[in-house]
Amino acid sequence: MARTIGSHGPRTMEAIRKAGLRLIFEHGYAAMSLRQLAAEVGIQSGSLYNHISTKQELLFDLVRDHINELLRQLDRALEGKQRPSDRLRAFTAFHVTYHMTRKREVFIANSELRSLEPKNYQEIVALRGAYEQRLADILSQGAAEGEFDVVDIQVATFAIIALLTGLTAWYRPGGRLTREAIVAAHEKLVLSGVAPAAASGPAKAKRTPSPAGTARSRPKHR
């Protein structure tokens, strides 16, 4: 039987959150029971109610805290960046790096959104929208300043986030590529989609076309 670690205090709440995160990730929100959660933490089932009132509250808190942390860290990553291309690189590097290390949180925030009650669902969707808007603002700024060529800001925003988040399905620590190499590859993919010149580095000098009538011959048609 698991050792009882006590029914009060921040340490117990942290243990509940960690256990809940793992159990929801491994079994799904619907399959996880509060009895199972209490056993995992090592407390009596009734003691859980000193910390959480319902399983729904736990899920909502886990997802909300994840997205709030995402927003806080993103804003720090963008500090001091002025040019749209620099801001887009910073957004890409942050998003990729964060998602490499928060696989469980990301998976639950995406797959269990459907399990949230309507009021909780609306709050989480609003927070997700705030994160997406950060990227949309970067793209809009770049398009307005002529640095990006974006056909539709909203479509580009959703496409870029889907591309960057997709690594959670295949990334494994200790693989063939370093984290830095993976970040660089994603930066190039994103920048090449909206600003090819920025993705390839400084523009090369254009070759001056040969004036008409010079000795430079035209290819013969056969």
Side-chain angles (χ1 to χ4, degrees), residues 17 21 59-73 94-95 98-99 101-110 124 127-128 131 165 168:
R17 289 170 61 87
L21 186 71
L59 175 63
F60 175 59
D61 284 346
L62 288 173
V63 176
R64 180 181 56 185
D65 289 351
H66 159 67
I67 301 180
N68 278 328
E69 183 64 16
L70 198 65
L71 285 164
R72 282 193 293 268
Q73 291 197 30
F94 162 74
H95 190 98
Y98 185 96
H99 284 64
T101 59
R102 305 294 181 93
K103 182 175 181 178
R104 289 176 176 176
E105 291 91 336
V106 172
F107 178 83
I108 291 171
N110 291 329
I124 295 303
L127 286 172
R128 285 163 60 107
Y131 185 80
T165 305
T168 58

Side-chain angles (χ1 to χ4, degrees), residues 114-171:
R114 62 189 176 182
S115 299
L116 291 169
E117 295 174 355
K119 182 180 178 181
N120 293 337
Y121 176 88
Q122 291 301 324
E123 184 171 340
I124 295 303
V125 168
L127 286 172
R128 285 163 60 107
Y131 185 80
E132 293 161 358
Q133 191 60 46
R134 300 290 201 282
L135 175 56
D137 289 344
I138 294 170
L139 297 175
S140 295
Q141 179 192 0
E145 296 180 9
E147 193 170 345
F148 297 161
D149 182 11
V150 181
V151 175
D152 186 285
I153 297 296
Q154 187 175 46
V155 170
T157 297
F158 291 155
I160 290 171
I161 289 178
L163 167 68
L164 300 180
T165 305
L167 70 81
T168 58
W170 56 263
Y171 172 73

Side-chain angles (χ1 to χ4, degrees), residues 148-221:
F148 297 161
D149 182 11
V150 181
V151 175
D152 186 285
I153 297 296
Q154 187 175 46
V155 170
T157 297
F158 291 155
I160 290 171
I161 289 178
L163 167 68
L164 300 180
T165 305
L167 70 81
T168 58
W170 56 263
Y171 172 73
R172 298 291 184 276
R176 179 173 58 87
L177 296 176
T178 64
R179 289 186 179 183
E180 292 77 14
I182 293 172
V183 168
H186 282 82
E187 285 183 2
K188 188 167 184 178
L189 282 169
V190 171
L191 266 294
S192 64
V194 299
S200 60
K204 296 181 180 180
K206 294 182 179 180
R207 178 181 297 175
T208 304
S210 302
T214 60
R216 187 176 178 182
S217 61
R218 297 179 179 178
K220 295 180 181 181
H221 296 286

Side-chain angles (χ1 to χ4, degrees), residues 72-91 138 141:
R72 282 193 293 268
Q73 291 197 30
L74 173 61
D75 288 341
R76 286 199 295 268
L78 294 176
E79 284 180 1
K81 308 294 190 303
Q82 301 299 326
R83 292 184 56 197
S85 57
D86 291 337
R87 291 176 65 79
L88 186 54
R89 285 192 179 92
F91 178 94
I138 294 170
Q141 179 192 0

